[in-house]
Amino acid sequence: MSSTRFQDRTVIVTGAGSGIGRATAVQLAEESARVIGVDVSRSRLRSLEEELGDAVLTVDGDLTDQITIDRVLAHADSSVHGLANIAGIMDGFEPTAEIKDETWDRVLAVNLTAMMRLTRAVLPLMISAGGGSIVNVSSEAGLRGSAAGTPYTTSKHAVNGFTLSTAFFYTPHGVRCNAVAPGPVATNIEAPFRSEMAQRRLGPIMQATLPEIANADAPAAAIIWLLSDEASDVSGAIIPVDGGWAAI
Ligand SMILES: NC(=O)c1ccc[n+]([C@@H]2O[C@H](COP(=O)([O-])OP(=O)(O)OC[C@H]3O[C@@H](n4cnc5c(N)ncnc54)[C@H](O)[C@@H]3O)[C@@H](O)[C@H]2O)c1
């Protein structure tokens, strides 16, 4: 699609090197946005630069490091109208009694704390720009207890709470905040079953209910709609983009 919904607008996209983040960055560039793409993988960002040219400015770094957030902000200015918090990692489907501290800490650091830190830094810019739109990527695991392990499920339910609270406080200041909750999407995310118990308990449920695996363009389109002025009256929504999985 070629349109100018994002003309003269800067949108920060995390996880822009792969999967849903990359699809979002590409669609935004096609719609004339100036994209700031952030990812921990330098090589993935290089490939995005090759595809998008001047439409993208990239920042390589781990978003759990404050220095990466600072570097993103150094490239942003009062034209930042959009923030798509997409970077995320899975757990190994661990049930509570099998959680390793390092898995818990890393999943929450990437999926939740990094999102909070970047959003906290960007909000004042959006307010001074006269408004903005933040879209967080939650998950089907943010809507139910049977789509991942406990660390990831916890992180995505927390993303929903973070989204609602941010919408509550900042919608009156012109900043909307929403989340999309994708079902299964074909990307590079690693999701190894590390628990026999989870395999036994989740396996049959997933086999019976899992919808078709979507292309990353599908959640990206929903993210872009929420970033755009077409969604000007939408704030505080957690939207399943999951082929109907949440309806089961
Ligand atoms: N793929 C699915 O089935 C699915 C379903 C529901 C939700 N999600 C969510 O969608 C989001 C995007 O995932 P994806 O499936 O596109 O995965 P992906 O692995 O293809 O892309 C994620 C990108 O984020 C980057 N990243 C990871 N940790 C980072 C960090 N600390 N700092 C900077 N960059 C980092 C990775 O390098 C990668 O390029 C995640 O939040 C994920 O939880 C994915």
Side-chain angles (χ1 to χ4, degrees):
M1 191 211 295
S2 169
S3 98
T4 52
R5 282 188 293 184
F6 296 93
Q7 187 86 52
D8 299 326
R9 293 192 172 184
T10 299
V11 183
I12 300 168
V13 179
T14 75
S18 173
I20 299 169
R22 184 176 175 124
T24 302
V26 170
Q27 287 186 35
L28 282 167
E30 283 168 0
E31 295 207 39
S32 307
R34 174 178 172 256
V35 177
I36 300 179
V38 193
D39 204 290
V40 72
S41 166
R42 178 69 232 149
S43 60
R44 287 176 177 177
L45 287 178
R46 207 170 296 128
S47 136
L48 184 70
E49 285 165 356
E50 278 161 19
E51 182 171 351
L52 298 186
D54 289 347
V56 70
L57 195 155
T58 62
V59 178
D60 62 317
D62 186 333
L63 281 156
T64 66
D65 293 337
Q66 182 60 39
I67 192 146
T68 305
I69 310 272
D70 296 342
R71 286 173 51 226
V72 175
L73 265 285
H75 291 292
D77 56 25
S78 57
S79 66
V80 175
H81 279 82
L83 168 61
N85 283 312
I86 303 179
I89 54 170
M90 258 294 275
D91 57 18
F93 288 91
E94 295 90 347
T96 307
E98 299 175 30
I99 297 170
K100 292 198 170 73
D101 279 352
E102 65 185 59
T103 306
W104 177 265
D105 291 347
R106 185 68 188 160
V107 168
L108 285 164
V110 176
N111 292 2
L112 182 63
T113 309
M115 174 183 290
M116 178 280 291
R117 288 199 185 135
L118 183 59
T119 305
R120 178 175 67 186
V122 167
L123 269 165
L125 292 181
M126 288 185 167
I127 292 167
S128 74
S133 174
I134 299 164
V135 183
N136 301 324
V137 172
S138 179
S139 166
E140 189 71 21
L143 306 175
R144 57 173 75 230
S146 56
T150 306
Y152 186 81
T153 300
T154 303
S155 75
K156 294 300 187 178
H157 276 74
V159 165
N160 297 350
F162 177 70
T163 302
L164 290 179
S165 182
T166 304
F168 168 72
F169 282 114
Y170 291 98
T171 306
H173 297 273
V175 181
R176 299 181 293 105
C177 185
N178 295 286
V180 299
V185 185
T187 68
N188 289 311
I189 204 162
E190 288 172 26
F193 261 99
R194 284 200 209 101
S195 160
E196 260 179 52
M197 180 193 178
Q199 188 95 55
R200 276 199 311 275
R201 177 91 177 113
L202 283 177
I205 293 172
M206 288 203 162
Q207 217 164 16
T209 63
L210 206 67
E212 227 174 89
I213 295 176
N215 184 285
D217 285 334
I223 292 166
I224 286 167
W225 177 72
L226 286 167
L227 287 169
S228 80
D229 288 347
E230 286 172 18
S232 62
D233 207 26
V234 183
S235 194
I238 315 291
I239 302 182
V241 183
D242 63 356
W245 194 7
I248 297 172

